[in-house]
Amino acid sequence: MNGTDSIRSLKGIGDKTEQIFRSAGIEMIDDLVTLYPRYYLTYEEPVSIADAQPGIRIAVCGKITNTPVYRQFKGLKITTCNIRDHSGSLGLIWYNMPYMRKQIHQGDSKIFVGTPVMKNGRLVMEHPEVFTEESYAKQREHLQPVYPLSRGLTNKMIIKAMSQTKEYMETAQEYLPDKIIERYHLQSYGKALKNVHFPIERQEVIEAKKRLIFDEFFIFLAAMRMVKEKTGVVQNQYIIRETKESRDFMEHLPFDLTNAQKCALQEMKEDLVKEEVMNRLVQGDVGSGKTILAVILLFMTVTNGYQGALMAPTEVLAVQHYETFCKLLEPYPVRIGLLTGSTKAKEKREIYQKLKDHELDLIIGTHALIQEKVEYNCLALVITDEQHRFGVKQREALYRKGLEPHVLVMSATPIPRTLALIMYGDLAISIIDELPANRLPIKNCVVNTSYRPNAYRFIEKQVQMGHQAYVICPMVEESENMEAENVTEYAKILKQNLPPSIRVECLNGRMKAVEKNRIMDEFGRGIIDVLVSTTVIEVGINVPNATVMMVENAERFGLAQLHQLRGRIGRGDSQSYCIFISGKDNDETKKRLEILNRSNDGFYIANEDLKLRGPGDFFGVRQSGMMDFVLADIYQNADLLKMAADSIELLEQEGFSFQNLQNERLKKQLELALQL
Ligand code: ADP
Ligand code: MG
């Protein structure tokens, strides 16, 4: 078996299954083996039925007390039965699994594993797994991986395919130098792969993840090195100074800049006339006003006779920036274009032509901006907003095009300084550590689910006062589809709990870009009052009229991520409120959420978050997708990030070059890391 073999070579994968895997981005064996479990199910000793609690997954051993009942209801095929043990009884229910009725019989004693929920005042276990005593003993011998699922792709399908690659995993080529593996007591790549997919116990997962997370950091940092080695020191070909127009613009800003904004701006202005090209990161907490700096710098660029570009991670954000720029620069003859994935082909071609002919001065968009076909006439400044790893990829892409503009990366992710130095080792850093003066500190509260009705009343009141609200639904670990369903369902319930005059809409990651844009546009214009959303909302969105943020299941999010979410409010001069609903009452959750309750300062929160976590906490809450890592979390795995940075340094001291790599696998990994 070869890593580049199609998954078609596996048993049980025909046309249809291949297509399903393909739409989840899995085409070759290597794609499959790097699809890591989201979490693992453990199979614990059965407990008494009387100890069952809603929402907590358990195993119970019980006797089926009736003939299973099968019925169809609203298109659902429902199988139900009851079980009993010495302590009490419990209902079981399966949806759309009609074959279950043939697999269970009155009088059978079985072990059932599942999560009980409250239904019509009674505890019922939905979709329990059924075991005999023997099969349960076998099941308990290992951990059961749960993979990220998508449309049509089930855990069973993945496990079946994965089980055929065990041997391949064990012999997968190593790409870390031996020295590093020994020094940091890492597992071999092959062993880590095998253990992450087929662990017998938690310790194996911990060891495996340590290695794989180390790899993610190592590859990221090595890619950064590679680009740096390649590009070397870049001469500044674009001297950008203040002009009459840019001074005029500064005099007519809608507000006074804060001192921190002024300082950062000053540092960048100095960069723009230096001998070397600018490479800078502006780190400013959410709402600190980074966008206006981008407007000022890009306008300066244009009035110096050059072109500028602003890149955002999502279309929604790109559209928002485009509108801000058009509004602020309206009095000036600046030609601004918008280029995203939804731009029609014909329009795209026109934009390409105009960029080439310098008929456009500014272009705003997603990473479509630096794709191969785009040619610029005189691109002097590229700014990226909230695209952290993009900084590296983008420089590589620009370099390949032979472009050497100034580069500015703007980020609201609060990273403790020690980590920032590693993540952004090659960038100069400006920090905006002050919020505009008109802001009132956000009022926070952490409450349990029984407070929900009060929260709804509160939202209602705020909307009646003319404000708007966000409600964030919990993440669904298994799949984006289920998450989408969840949000829609929640919005329905919320509607029933609010007066009909209040317009509630929902937003999720599965929606088409045009649909998302429409909803965000309507929310921005105040047509929608309450937006129910997944975390797709977290980055960059600016609707200053929104004053309430309610986060369901706050305990499932990382603190840095919660802080980002909260950053969507408190952006205007009205008092804003953040309601964290916690579904869990334990001490650890309380302690974590208390940090947010106490402080609105992102850097403080990030530091506290770091302190609260022990090293190697691989089972804790992960900040979903933050910084684009798959397994790694810079907060949680700060120790491994440092290790990876140290090893790169060690290798470099010994003359290791990331440009002329001998190891094919490492070479490929680095290329992948730099792909847009
Ligand atoms: P972020 O740093 O999170 O990207 P934005 O640039 O979106 O923040 O700014 C948030 C809001 O604050 C915007 O509505 C912006 O117009 C406003 N703003 C920015 N700077 C100032 C300032 N100095 N005084 C008052 N409001 C400001
Ligand atoms: Mg922003």
Side-chain angles (χ1 to χ4, degrees):
M1 193 180 285
N2 221 311
T4 49
D5 288 353
S6 157
I7 51 163
R8 268 307 275 268
S9 57
L10 300 175
K11 258 189 270 152
I13 298 193
D15 282 346
K16 205 172 134 212
T17 321
E18 184 189 15
Q19 200 45 49
I20 293 173
F21 272 103
R22 194 179 276 267
S23 56
I26 299 162
E27 299 183 9
M28 339 181 269
I29 301 290
D30 273 344
D31 299 329
L32 180 70
V33 300
T34 50
L35 176 74
Y36 302 125
R38 287 269 180 115
Y39 58 97
Y40 300 84
L41 289 177
T42 49
Y43 289 83
E44 307 290 341
E45 197 69 54
V47 299
S48 299
I49 288 179
D51 290 337
Q53 282 177 43
I56 298 174
R57 184 171 169 277
I58 47 161
V60 292
C61 182
K63 192 177 211 166
I64 299 173
T65 54
N66 63 335
T67 312
V69 179
Y70 175 75
R71 67 200 156 94
Q72 297 202 25
F73 179 69
K74 286 191 181 164
L76 282 178
K77 298 177 175 132
I78 305 174
T79 313
T80 53
C81 72
N82 293 308
I83 58 166
R84 163 171 292 287
D85 71 1
H86 63 91
S87 70
S89 72
L90 185 69
L92 306 181
I93 186 162
W94 291 271
Y95 299 105
N96 291 336
M97 295 167 73
Y99 46 85
M100 279 316 297
R101 68 190 147 150
K102 303 215 175 83
Q103 292 181 9
I104 47 175
H105 310 279
Q106 182 172 10
D108 282 358
S109 267
K110 292 270 159 83
I111 293 169
F112 302 91
V113 183
T115 308
V117 292
M118 267 306 197
K119 276 231 152 97
N120 304 323
R122 173 164 193 242
L123 268 187
V124 191
M125 205 183 245
E126 289 186 313
H127 293 281
E129 292 176 79
V130 186
F131 297 93
T132 62
E133 224 166 272
E134 298 81 64
S135 69
Y136 195 61
K138 197 135 193 268
Q139 184 70 30
R140 290 195 64 194
E141 282 171 6
H142 60 87
L143 298 175
Q144 165 106 3
V146 180
Y147 290 95
L149 306 178
S150 55
R151 209 176 291 262
L153 195 59
T154 66
N155 211 42
K156 256 199 181 137
M157 281 158 76
I158 299 173
I159 288 175
K160 189 171 168 201
M162 207 67 88
S163 67
Q164 297 173 58
T165 63
K166 217 168 177 171
E167 245 170 65
Y168 165 73
M169 289 180 191
E170 281 171 330
T171 57
Q173 199 202 340
E174 181 55 63
Y175 52 82
L176 276 184
D178 286 344
K179 186 177 280 152
I180 300 298
I181 294 191
E182 278 161 31
R183 188 183 180 106
Y184 295 106
H185 308 288
L186 298 169
Q187 279 189 340
S188 73
Y189 178 61
K191 189 164 179 195
L193 267 188
K194 200 195 112 214
N195 282 348
V196 84
H197 293 295
F198 309 102
I200 304 219
E201 46 173 33
R202 281 169 79 99
Q203 192 55 33
E204 285 186 342
V205 178
I206 290 175
E207 291 295 321
K209 281 204 175 168
K210 177 179 166 191
R211 164 65 209 251
L212 297 173
I213 290 170
F214 179 93
D215 276 17
E216 266 196 271
F217 286 138
F218 183 87
I219 301 280
F220 165 69
L221 296 173
M224 208 153 85
R225 282 309 149 121
M226 195 166 86
V227 175
K228 204 175 171 186
E229 275 182 28
K230 248 200 263 186
T231 51
V233 175
V234 182
Q235 295 303 312
N236 179 0
Q237 306 164 42
Y238 307 100
I239 300 289
I240 297 171
R241 299 182 201 280
E242 291 245 42
T243 57
K244 197 166 128 285
E245 295 101 314
S246 75
R247 274 195 211 99
D248 179 74
F249 179 67
M250 294 295 290
E251 276 160 26
H252 294 95
L253 288 181
F255 38 69
D256 293 330
L257 293 183
T258 62
N259 281 328
Q261 282 171 318
K262 281 184 197 157
C263 284
L265 187 61
Q266 188 53 36
E267 286 173 330
M268 291 185 279
K269 278 188 191 162
E270 284 166 19
D271 284 351
L272 294 174
V273 294
K274 278 193 187 142
E275 236 166 75
E276 270 176 47
V277 83
M278 173 170 80
N279 264 313
R280 186 172 284 274
L281 164 75
V282 172
Q283 242 192 343
D285 211 343
V286 279
S288 61
K290 293 181 291 295
T291 315
I292 192 69
L293 298 185
V295 180
I296 294 168
L297 290 167
L298 286 167
F299 186 57
M300 273 175 65
T301 305
V302 170
T303 58
N304 275 266
Y306 303 124
Q307 290 176 305
L310 174 65
M311 252 179 281
T314 63
E315 270 197 55
V316 166
L317 202 52
V319 171
Q320 177 186 290
H321 280 325
Y322 176 72
E323 282 164 4
T324 306
F325 272 66
C326 289
K327 210 161 85 197
L328 286 168
L329 297 177
E330 206 240 1
Y332 306 91
V334 185
R335 299 161 299 181
I336 312 177
L338 174 69
L339 186 65
T340 69
S342 321
T343 309
K344 301 244 158 46
K346 179 166 166 272
E347 210 177 319
K348 255 186 203 160
R349 278 197 301 274
E350 279 170 23
I351 290 178
Y352 294 160
Q353 193 61 45
K354 284 185 182 164
L355 283 172
K356 198 172 158 191
D357 299 341
H358 198 175
E359 282 173 25
L360 274 177
D361 303 304
L362 281 184
I363 185 79
I364 297 174
T366 52
H367 69 239
L369 291 192
I370 47 172
Q371 256 147 18
E372 270 159 39
K373 283 192 193 136
V374 191
E375 284 176 59
Y376 290 88
N377 186 290
C378 48
L379 183 66
L381 171 62
V382 175
I383 302 184
T384 61
D385 189 20
E386 308 291 358
Q387 301 205 283
H388 313 97
R389 295 179 66 180
F390 211 64
V392 185
K393 293 184 185 186
Q394 157 225 69
R395 243 177 304 157
E396 161 78 5
L398 291 169
Y399 173 79
R400 254 187 247 163
K401 284 171 167 297
L403 298 173
E404 296 181 328
H406 298 286
V407 172
L408 177 64
V409 179
M410 303 195 301
S411 166
T413 306
I415 302 177
R417 188 149 189 97
T418 48
L419 300 186
L421 286 175
I422 300 175
M423 295 296 295
Y424 302 113
D426 52 341
L427 300 182
I429 301 181
S430 299
I431 290 182
I432 309 184
D433 53 3
E434 180 185 5
L435 294 181
N438 65 341
R439 306 285 171 74
L440 296 166
I442 296 172
K443 290 193 172 150
N444 304 297
C445 65
V446 180
V447 291
N448 62 25
T449 49
S450 68
Y451 185 81
R452 209 178 271 139
N454 301 19
Y456 293 163
R457 290 291 78 76
F458 186 74
I459 289 176
E460 187 181 329
K461 260 203 240 144
Q462 285 286 311
V463 172
Q464 270 150 7
M465 286 165 70
H467 292 301
Q468 290 162 280
Y470 297 96
V471 179
I472 306 299
C473 283
M475 286 182 275
V476 177
E477 277 282 332
E478 288 82 354
S479 79
E480 244 188 357
N481 283 329
M482 278 172 69
E483 194 158 87
E485 232 168 77
N486 208 34
V487 172
T488 319
E489 203 50 41
Y490 192 101
K492 244 191 235 163
I493 295 170
L494 183 59
K495 260 183 216 166
Q496 288 162 6
N497 279 282
L498 293 173
S501 60
I502 294 183
R503 207 175 137 190
V504 181
E505 279 274 8
C506 61
L507 193 71
N508 67 65
R510 272 273 149 191
M511 282 176 172
K512 291 229 169 66
V514 274
E515 183 69 3
K516 277 191 220 160
N517 290 340
R518 179 188 65 82
I519 289 177
M520 274 326 297
D521 178 56
E522 290 187 5
F523 189 67
R525 290 193 286 135
I527 297 170
I528 295 170
D529 301 305
V530 181
L531 191 62
V532 180
S533 168
T534 57
T535 52
V536 291
I537 206 73
E538 80 189 288
V539 146
I541 293 303
N542 185 42
V543 180
N545 187 46
T547 53
V548 187
M549 166 66 62
M550 171 173 168
V551 185
E552 287 279 359
N553 283 108
E555 79 281 0
R556 293 201 199 159
F557 298 92
L559 290 189
Q561 200 177 8
L562 286 172
H563 180 66
Q564 284 287 321
L565 285 167
R566 177 169 61 186
R568 296 314 109 221
I569 57 167
R571 296 183 149 247
D573 43 22
S574 301
Q575 178 64 54
S576 288
Y577 306 87
C578 190
I579 307 166
F580 297 111
I581 307 259
S582 167
K584 264 198 195 140
D585 250 354
N586 64 36
D587 282 351
E588 198 206 305
T589 307
K590 277 196 193 133
K591 221 172 169 178
R592 287 184 56 240
L593 293 179
E594 190 46 37
I595 295 174
L596 283 173
N597 203 6
R598 222 173 25 231
S599 171
N600 287 321
D601 174 351
F603 286 91
Y604 170 80
I605 291 166
N607 275 314
E608 288 301 297
D609 202 8
L610 212 54
K611 269 194 241 161
L612 262 192
R613 296 175 188 284
D617 181 8
F618 297 117
F619 289 92
V621 190
R622 225 179 73 80
Q623 327 262 354
S624 89
M626 228 186 226
M627 311 293 287
D628 284 351
F629 291 113
V630 180
L631 288 173
D633 178 318
I634 50 163
Y635 300 95
Q636 209 157 305
N637 313 123
D639 51 335
L640 289 174
L641 176 58
K642 287 190 192 115
M643 270 186 210
D646 289 346
S647 10
I648 300 255
E649 199 166 311
L650 198 85
L651 290 174
E652 274 188 336
Q653 275 167 11
E654 293 177 358
F656 191 93
S657 160
F658 288 99
Q659 273 210 84
N660 309 311
L661 289 171
Q662 304 300 315
N663 186 314
E664 280 304 313
R665 196 167 191 115
L666 183 55
K667 210 160 142 187
K668 221 165 87 205
Q669 290 291 323
L670 292 184
E671 273 165 22
L672 271 176
L674 289 171
Q675 247 168 40
L676 282 175

